[in-house]
Amino acid sequence: MITEEEVFGLVFRSFPTLHATWLTYQAVLGAMYEQNIQKFSDILVDYSPLRKSIDTEIPTFTKKLACVLESLHSPWSNGVIESINRKIKQINRTAYGYHNQLNFFRHIRTHLVHPRIIPVKKT
């Protein structure tokens, strides 16, 4: 039996590029979570290509740096709205279209009833 930490150590020793990619990913997530603009900018400046999929993300962040920094600076997010849109699209795909539009709206309502999304009316 080995611990999760030992498993990660074993995998990262076997795949050093994966380890570097994971560290970069975690650093970006941490900077975004902390809304630390300086830390995020430092990550972009110090990044060296790893020949992995993250190599396409870092230049995109650099290209759209003004927008990314504004999103880090702002306390608002459209994440909840995007989540609602994704759920509605998923309902639409799995339903293959409703004959009755009211039933479609009822289905959406039953899946999105949550105090933060659609408050339940108390009668």
Side-chain angles (χ1 to χ4, degrees), residues 87-103:
K87 288 177 184 176
I88 290 172
K89 287 180 182 180
Q90 183 63 38
I91 291 168
N92 196 20
R93 275 194 297 273
T94 58
Y96 299 111
Y98 280 90
H99 292 291
N100 185 345
Q101 192 174 21
L102 185 59
N103 287 341

Side-chain angles (χ1 to χ4, degrees), residues 12-48:
F12 288 154
R13 279 192 301 278
S14 301
F15 303 99
T17 307
L18 175 64
H19 187 221
T21 304
W22 185 80
L23 288 175
T24 303
Y25 174 72
Q26 291 300 318
V28 168
L29 282 182
M32 290 181 146
Y33 180 75
E34 296 167 5
Q35 295 182 326
N36 188 334
I37 294 170
Q38 184 61 44
K39 185 177 177 182
F40 186 80
S41 298
D42 291 344
I43 293 167
L44 296 182
V45 169
D46 297 339
Y47 180 75
S48 58

